[in-house]
Amino acid sequence: MRCENSHDEISEINMTPFVDIVLVILVIFMATATFVAQQKIAISLPTASKQQSKQDAKPLMLTIDKDGLMFIDDVRVEDLNEALAKNSVLVAENGVVLRSDAKTSFEHVVKAIDICKQNNISKFSIQTEEASR
């Protein structure tokens, strides 16, 4: 007797393992794409594990309170465009530090960043508090 099954060529490819691998890769891609997209927008965090500071240069301090009112170096400003234009030399040299209350609406933070960009300010940072351990 001859066993015909042992020498026959496989004429079909089992697609199940291939589909499983493709779905796992798709899930991994979707999960990492979500995290990458979230890091593209600068947000004001209430705490951070480490503070960064520059000792030699004093940047312009732009503060936004929880109601969306804006202050430059603790002085209330009505028109941020005008205030940034008055301080253009300081801003060009040292940049802007954006401080906002943890309860500030995200809309106010984005508005402040947009106004900075409109005034060709590319050097700005967001100040946070150091997290307690």
Side-chain angles (χ1 to χ4, degrees), residues 11 22 32 36 42-43 48 61-62 73 78-79 84 92 95 103 110 123 127-130 133:
S11 62
V22 169
T32 57
V36 169
I43 60 173
M61 299 298 280
L62 173 59
D73 293 329
E78 295 293 328
D79 185 11
L84 289 175
K103 296 180 181 177
V110 171
K123 253 174 81 172
Q127 184 177 10
T128 59
E129 290 181 357
E130 188 171 352
R133 295 179 192 221

Side-chain angles (χ1 to χ4, degrees), residues 63-128:
T63 306
I64 306 171
D65 70 0
K66 65 180 180 181
D67 299 321
L69 300 175
M70 296 188 189
F71 301 85
I72 291 185
D73 293 329
D74 299 327
V75 177
R76 170 105 162 77
V77 293
E78 295 293 328
D79 185 11
L80 185 57
N81 272 323
E82 182 180 318
L84 289 175
K86 287 180 183 177
N87 295 296
S88 62
V89 174
L90 175 67
V91 171
E93 292 175 5
N94 303 328
V96 172
V97 173
L98 179 60
R99 300 171 28 187
S100 71
D101 190 276
K103 296 180 181 177
T104 301
S105 172
F106 184 66
E107 175 184 359
H108 299 297
V109 176
V110 171
K111 180 181 175 183
I113 292 172
D114 284 342
I115 292 172
C116 287
K117 287 182 179 180
Q118 289 171 1
N119 285 284
N120 298 320
I121 300 170
S122 58
K123 253 174 81 172
F124 60 88
S125 61
I126 297 175
Q127 184 177 10
T128 59

Side-chain angles (χ1 to χ4, degrees), residues 12-22:
E12 296 179 15
I13 296 175
N14 188 358
M15 294 296 291
T16 305
F18 176 72
V19 171
D20 289 344
I21 291 171
V22 169

